[in-house]
Amino acid sequence: MHWDTIPKDTDPAVPPRLADYDLTRSAFTWSQARSELAGLPGGGLNMAHEAVDRHAASGAGEKVALSCVARDDSVSTVTYAELTRRTARFANVLRSLGVGHGDRVFTLLGRRPELYTTVLGTLKNTSVLCPLFSAFGPDPVEQRLRLGDARVLVTTADLYRRKVAGRRASLPGLEHVLIIGPGAAELPGTASFDGLMSTAPDTFAIPPTSPDDMALLHFTSGTTGTPKGAVHVHEAVVAHYATAAHALDLRPEDVYWCTADPGWVTGMSYGVIAPLVHGVTVVLDEGDYDARRWYRILGGQHVTVWYTAPTALRMLMRATPRQGPYALPRSHDLSALRFVASVGEPLNPEAVVWGRDVLGLPVHDNWWQTETGSIMIANFAACEIRPGSMGRPLPGVEASVLEQGEDGRALVVDGRVTEVGTPGVEGELALRPGWPSMFRGYLHDKERYDAAFADGWYLTGDLVRRDADGWYWFVGRADDVIKSAGHLIGPFEVESALMEHPLVAEAGVIGRPDPVAGNVVKAFVSLRPGVEATPDLERELLGFGRRKLGPAVAPREIAFDQNLPRTRSGKVMRRLLRARELGLPTGDLSTLEGSV
Ligand code: ATP
Ligand code: MG
């Protein structure tokens, strides 16, 4: 039943616009989306102008841009006009410090209004913004500040004291540290963000900005190795705008909430830029992950479009199972909610169906990477959902499945690759470069960048299958695929099957070397709250896996682990499970959740 398709509900009352793009038309060009943006008055394209100034200039200044829910649930709002002024002030602050075009401004902040001011003010000044996870420890912070040539850091006194102060001497390029809130006076080498803002003028003429000017630097999640610094340019805003319409169905009247941390590419592209370009009201939650709180915000803020991640949905699923009394969401009014999407790692079909039964809406999975800068493949608004699939390429995106070599990656012979023509056959997912938010390099690592291309394709490192109708199905990362007794096994398929067992909360699957089979599948399983890990349950899960997957693919070993290692963006770190299992070096753990 989980693999049934869920047809799209069509509402004839909704007027057609970019979001209603007809899939059967193949002529979508990015210039179509570009023509719906304003552009700078003197020519050129600047992300911050599209996100704030043009709304204020076109009479929408009094509309609420940010609806901020503080930890104590109190709500404050910032209008587009006010955000225009604040971001102008910050651009002036940077200018007064001598920080200009192309200089790197880092944030080490949780989600708070000043984050928006800093990001957009930096972009107005044509400087480059690089966000860091506020939960990073001193090592990853220092590593990224150095790698990214940071000149300015915006943070709080507490975060600075704990994560940066001790490393400052080894970061001579970091000239300015701006402290939000109290504390700058007691911290040598810092200045008060609020003090500088209070005296800065609140108008700012954005200098000429080329669409090819660097705008954002994003470090990848580090799931497969050392994080890479992906370079993005102002032109990416065209893709942010178009994809938010196609894949998230954003419309100006929406109240939109993106739960991604601002330190991750989703939190920036779809937490800050895309929704503001659409002129919607963005809900900004300063609190922590907590199912009750989240239901309160969804209901209390009348959220209409919600963008979240599988790890967050699994948290809600644990708190509110599909079967039994759905006391929690029923006690909140979720009637405003009309669209829910997820990204970051595979969305198990179970979660799609859970959404339909508990939230009243199925969850639209979509796929992209830090490198692609925007959503590329999605169960998007204009097409039916296939639970367990990541969807179809968005208009303007050309995707393909390439034949694999021995190592699981695309097979390149004499510089040529071969596309898989047969539906259902797996291979490496490739994209034809040319979309506006395509990354323009890995900072200081040309070799790694060049290695990501072959025969006119960008190679994603992910393995997928395409079905006969053109929907893409995630198999695994090329690095994670398990070769066992002549079969190539995608860990996601095994994890999804195990998650259909009512007592299983989550699973992470690896290959363990075996003299006979090459590798055998081993699953690490976390159980629902209150469920006891017993040898009987282990036997039951092994049998459950065999029945669902067949003996060639099913796990041969199960270990119970209530704390599966994951990245801060919520992905199970299989490479760490494997390294621990085999006693190998654990590699770069800077993005491991819970590490300091
Ligand atoms: P690194 O490149 O440093 O190893 P990362 O690839 O996890 O880290 P991101 O750019 O944050 O860094 O994540 C992109 C990856 O996340 C994709 O390549 C894919 O493996 C996974 N991913 C994203 N969305 C989905 C999805 N909907 N289904 C399956 N996998 C997804
Ligand atoms: Mg990656």
Side-chain angles (χ1 to χ4, degrees):
M1 169 201 98
H2 295 330
W3 302 91
D4 288 349
T5 59
I6 298 180
K8 175 185 156 53
D9 292 329
T10 39
D11 175 1
V14 177
R17 55 187 296 277
L18 213 52
D20 303 308
Y21 186 76
D22 177 2
L23 271 178
T24 58
R25 279 164 54 193
S26 56
F28 177 84
T29 57
W30 293 105
S31 59
Q32 211 165 315
R34 169 71 183 82
S35 71
E36 290 185 23
L37 296 177
L40 284 177
L45 187 65
N46 182 291
M47 278 184 182
H49 178 76
E50 301 303 326
V52 282
D53 291 24
R54 77 178 172 114
H55 300 302
S58 67
E62 291 319 304
K63 185 169 178 188
V64 173
L66 305 176
S67 181
C68 315
V69 186
R71 280 176 184 274
D72 63 0
D73 278 10
S74 62
V75 178
S76 58
T77 58
V78 181
T79 63
Y80 274 93
E82 176 59 19
L83 194 56
T84 301
R85 288 191 290 272
R86 289 188 192 178
T87 51
R89 281 183 196 276
F90 188 68
N92 281 312
V93 166
L94 289 178
R95 188 176 277 176
S96 71
L97 296 173
V99 175
H101 184 83
D103 287 335
R104 313 280 154 70
V105 177
F106 277 59
T107 51
L108 180 65
L109 292 172
R111 199 174 279 292
R112 53 188 296 162
E114 292 90 344
L115 175 88
Y116 287 72
T117 307
T118 304
V119 170
L120 297 163
T122 298
L123 294 172
K124 279 188 172 181
N125 192 45
T126 67
S127 304
V128 173
L129 193 283
C130 180
L132 298 178
F133 271 93
S134 55
F136 274 154
D139 283 347
V141 169
E142 181 187 346
Q143 183 192 20
R144 286 165 181 73
L145 289 171
R146 178 171 300 111
L147 253 172
D149 310 315
R151 257 194 96 186
V152 181
L153 171 69
V154 178
T155 185
T156 62
D158 175 51
L159 289 170
Y160 181 73
R161 250 187 233 113
R162 290 194 285 124
K163 308 185 179 206
V164 189
R167 313 297 175 100
R168 189 70 186 275
S170 64
L171 292 164
L174 182 60
E175 287 170 54
H176 307 284
V177 173
L178 309 184
I179 300 289
I180 295 173
E186 294 88 59
L187 293 169
T190 70
S192 162
F193 175 94
D194 311 288
L196 290 165
M197 286 285 280
S198 67
T199 55
D202 66 2
T203 57
F204 182 85
I206 297 177
T209 314
S210 158
D212 289 324
D213 282 350
M214 184 170 167
L216 299 164
L217 174 67
H218 277 300
F219 287 96
T220 60
S221 292
T223 312
T224 51
T226 313
K228 301 151 276 199
V231 171
H232 289 284
V233 299
H234 280 272
E235 191 189 8
V237 69
V238 176
H240 295 150
Y241 173 69
T243 56
H246 293 314
L248 304 178
D249 202 31
L250 268 194
R251 294 152 196 274
E253 59 279 11
D254 278 316
V255 176
Y256 168 83
W257 183 24
C258 169
T259 61
D261 189 283
W264 180 38
V265 68
T266 306
M268 203 46 59
S269 306
Y270 295 99
V272 179
I273 313 282
L276 294 177
V277 174
H278 277 273
V280 309
T281 295
V282 177
V283 172
L284 185 164
D285 171 30
E286 298 183 32
D288 297 321
Y289 246 33
D290 163 17
R292 279 172 192 280
R293 176 182 176 82
W294 279 20
Y295 283 123
R296 254 193 337 265
I297 293 174
L298 283 171
Q301 291 286 307
H302 309 289
V303 172
T304 59
V305 176
W306 194 39
Y307 196 19
T308 188
T311 175
L313 288 166
R314 287 195 290 264
M315 170 191 82
L316 294 187
M317 286 165 73
R318 272 199 291 268
T320 37
R322 191 152 66 87
Q323 270 104 23
Y326 311 144
L328 203 46
R330 289 260 166 97
S331 64
H332 296 278
D333 176 11
L334 304 183
S335 58
L337 197 61
R338 65 172 184 81
F339 198 86
V340 180
S342 160
V343 71
E345 54 168 342
L347 183 68
N348 314 80
E350 185 68 19
V352 179
V353 176
W354 172 88
R356 189 188 60 189
D357 292 354
V358 178
L359 300 176
L361 298 163
V363 184
H364 297 251
D365 189 19
N366 61 57
W367 177 96
W368 58 294
Q369 302 180 309
T370 308
E371 289 87 344
T372 70
S374 66
I375 301 168
M376 295 279 109
I377 296 182
N379 288 283
F380 49 110
C383 75
E384 80 193 25
I385 292 179
R386 297 197 170 182
S389 119
M390 43 202 230
R392 310 173 45 132
L394 292 189
V397 173
E398 187 189 347
S400 184
V401 185
L402 302 183
E403 216 168 78
Q404 289 172 286
E406 265 295 288
D407 60 354
R409 300 292 308 260
L411 179 67
V412 186
V413 180
D414 297 333
R416 299 268 155 225
V417 299
T418 310
E419 294 183 44
V420 170
T422 320
V425 175
E426 67 191 49
E428 183 168 0
L429 173 64
L431 301 166
R432 186 75 76 191
W435 67 94
S437 62
M438 174 67 176
F439 76 131
R440 305 299 160 100
Y442 290 126
L443 197 70
H444 306 317
D445 199 348
K446 181 156 178 355
E447 210 175 305
R448 217 161 164 186
Y449 178 71
D450 291 341
F453 298 86
D455 204 3
W457 291 100
Y458 163 63
L459 310 178
T460 64
D462 284 348
L463 301 182
V464 296
R465 268 192 308 265
R466 181 174 49 203
D467 66 25
D469 302 317
W471 267 255
Y472 283 70
W473 301 76
F474 187 79
V475 172
R477 295 166 181 256
D479 298 5
D480 282 344
V481 165
I482 302 161
K483 287 178 207 135
S484 177
H487 297 273
L488 276 183
I489 300 169
F492 168 57
E493 188 182 2
V494 181
E495 290 161 8
S496 275
L498 288 172
M499 279 188 59
E500 285 181 33
H501 190 283
L503 302 183
V504 171
E506 258 186 294
V509 164
I510 62 163
R512 196 177 55 66
D514 176 86
V516 180
N519 287 280
V520 293
V521 175
K522 174 160 186 175
F524 295 82
V525 167
S526 77
L527 299 169
R528 285 189 182 281
V531 179
E532 209 187 320
T534 61
D536 276 351
L537 182 55
E538 186 184 331
R539 272 192 297 279
E540 183 180 326
L541 291 179
L542 287 169
F544 182 79
R546 265 195 308 277
R547 279 195 303 281
K548 291 201 103 46
L549 298 162
V553 177
R556 289 260 290 275
E557 289 174 26
I558 289 197
F560 294 109
D561 181 349
Q562 287 306 102
N563 293 304
L564 293 177
R566 55 179 66 259
T567 67
R568 294 189 191 284
S569 48
K571 303 162 204 269
V572 174
M573 250 188 192
R574 298 190 189 90
R575 72 175 159 95
L576 182 54
L577 286 172
R578 199 183 307 119
R580 283 179 184 162
E581 175 72 18
L582 306 180
L584 298 172
T586 49
D588 187 315
L589 295 185
S590 60
T591 60
L592 179 67
E593 191 182 67
S595 66
V596 187

